[in-house]
Every structure is written in C-alpha cells, then in structure tokens.
Amino acid sequence: MLGGRPDRPQDAASRKDFWEGVHGGTEVDGVSWWQSVPGLSLGLVDETGLGRERPVIDVGAGWSTLVDHLVERGYRDLTAIDLSVSALRTVRERLGPTGAQVVLEVADVLDLAPVKRYALWHDRAVYHFLTEPDERADYLASLDRSLEPGGWLVVATFGPDGPTTCSGLPIVRYSHPELAAQFPGYELVSTAGEDHLTPWGTSQQFTAVLMRRSS
Ligand SMILES: C[S@@+](CC[C@H](N)C(=O)[O-])C[C@H]1O[C@@H](n2cnc3c(N)ncnc32)[C@H](O)[C@@H]1O
C-alpha cells in the first residue's frame, strides 16, 4: 500500500481479491457508483429496440439493478458477470423468484469464454479501470468473442471532468469521441451522459456511448 491506497491489482487473482474486498466491506449504498435506477443505461438499451427474447450481458455488474429493470421490461435472456461472489449473491437474493432465470456468473471480463453470443453488451464503470493497453486489448478480445455481428454495445465511463480515481484505483477518463475510438469495428450510434449523484451527494460525470458491431 502507498499513501493509504490499495496497490493496483494487476493479475486475475489480485483483481478478484480486491473486488471481493470492496463488496464484502460495505452495503450497496456504500459505494460511489450505486444508483437504484440506472437511467443512463436503460435509456441506451431502450434506444436499441432490442427484442425481449434477445440475449443481453452486463459485465462487471456488481450490485447494479440493471438486470432487475430489464426483467421488469420483459427481457428473458439476461446474464450478469462479476469478479465478486458476494456482489452476485446479493443480486441473486434481491432478484428473488421473478429474476430466477437471470444467469449470474463469476467471471473476469478480461478473459471471458462465453457459452453463447450476446445481442447486447453493457458495461458501466468497468472499462475505465483498464489503464494499460494490454488490458484494453484483452477486454476487446472478450467483447469480440461475446457479441454477435450486428450486436449492440453500451459502455459508460467517467467523463473528462469526472473523478480521476474510482474505489481508490486510477482510471482513464473519456470524452465521447475518445470512448468510441476504443472499439474498432463498431459504429457509433449515439452518445449520452449524466452527472451521477453518489449516495453521499457528490457529482460524477459519466460519458456513455451506444455502438453497433459491423455485421
Ligand atoms: C465501479 S463498479 C460498477 C458496478 C456496476 N457496473 C454499476 O454500474 O453499478 C465495477 C464493477 O466491476 C467489477 N469488476 C472489476 N474488474 C472486473 C473484471 N476484470 N471482470 C469482471 N468484473 C470486474 C467489480 O467487482 C465491480 O462490481
């Protein structure tokens, strides 16, 4: 540890330990990214007009309520992955019988071996942790293995005026053009953003893009 900050986890095992520790040490509203309604994400998912039977994956889902809201909207083929067992356990309990069909899987987005192709990939506040080119290349490889041709990509990160760290870790901030440029082979469909209010009332600028994989 340096200056009271955790060392940046650099391999799969230390990443998992780090994120397990984050989720094990607090309540859902004890993390800055908590929101009971993921409005920015839902707006972009709605914009796709995706059929309710199409497969959707939320990567680095943590405690996000995105899957709860997608169940409510009638989506039937939902998967959420995260490194943290305890985060996914909380989501499983929260979803209850109405969300019993949601697949919750402990997996690393940098090394994803999908059992099928998805029609929509959603990521809020995971990509910005990838500060190294090799991590971003691994993420892109996972994305390309997972998303079907013509599939939709929704990614949200901290914006140019957002925080420089998240959960004590350094992050990369993106403008809309910078974020869109991260995904070769994907066409920018629309952009969005929000000033997210943390549970303790501070504001965090988010940048989001909706993109579509070339067919
Ligand atoms: C800042 S939180 C965002 C959570 C959620 N997307 C949301 O918007 O509420 C980042 C999440 O990504 C997960 N995570 C971090 N690195 C990951 C990785 N390499 N693979 C899968 N999940 C990861 C963490 O455990 C954590 O739940």
Side-chain angles (χ1 to χ4, degrees):
M1 265 230 223
L2 273 180
R5 283 220 180 127
D7 294 328
R8 186 173 177 279
Q10 301 200 1
D11 56 51
S14 54
R15 269 198 299 276
K16 185 163 170 28
D17 285 352
F18 176 83
W19 287 106
E20 208 63 81
V22 167
H23 291 99
T26 184
E27 300 298 314
V28 289
D29 60 358
V31 292
S32 63
W33 53 90
W34 169 254
Q35 49 182 188
S36 52
V37 182
L40 180 64
S41 301
L42 286 167
L44 291 172
V45 172
D46 286 347
E47 205 177 317
T48 66
L50 194 68
R52 297 314 197 238
E53 75 292 351
R54 305 308 320 285
V56 173
I57 185 167
D58 185 16
V59 299
W63 284 320
S64 171
T65 60
L66 182 70
V67 286
D68 309 52
H69 288 273
L70 294 180
V71 168
E72 251 176 57
R73 277 163 160 70
Y75 285 95
R76 301 190 281 282
D77 190 344
L78 298 169
T79 298
I81 67 146
D82 202 277
L83 286 174
S84 167
V85 179
S86 66
L88 295 180
R89 193 176 298 134
T90 301
V91 173
R92 175 59 71 214
E93 284 163 13
R94 190 183 68 210
L95 281 168
T98 47
Q101 85 283 12
V102 177
V103 175
L104 301 177
E105 196 182 314
V106 177
D108 191 330
V109 72
L110 301 188
D111 185 24
L112 206 54
V115 290
K116 63 180 176 191
R117 294 275 188 138
Y118 296 90
L120 188 149
W121 170 289
H122 172 270
D123 166 351
R124 173 178 179 265
V126 184
Y127 189 79
H128 63 198
F129 287 108
L130 310 180
T131 57
E132 305 305 316
D134 60 324
E135 295 172 335
R136 293 192 289 267
D138 288 346
Y139 181 103
L140 197 55
S142 288
L143 171 64
D144 285 348
R145 279 195 297 276
S146 306
L147 198 64
E148 65 185 23
W152 298 92
L153 171 64
V154 174
V155 183
T157 64
F158 283 161
D161 297 322
T164 54
T165 61
C166 185
S167 214
L169 300 177
I171 57 92
V172 182
R173 299 181 293 180
Y174 292 94
S175 64
H176 288 122
E178 288 165 347
L179 188 54
Q182 298 297 306
F183 302 101
Y186 293 73
E187 185 192 329
L188 182 62
V189 176
S190 70
T191 62
E194 73 175 353
D195 289 325
H196 164 65
L197 268 194
T198 66
W200 42 94
T202 55
S203 177
Q204 299 182 326
Q205 185 197 46
F206 269 84
T207 293
V209 291
L210 170 65
M211 304 187 74
R212 193 157 199 192
R213 189 174 191 178
S214 311
S215 299

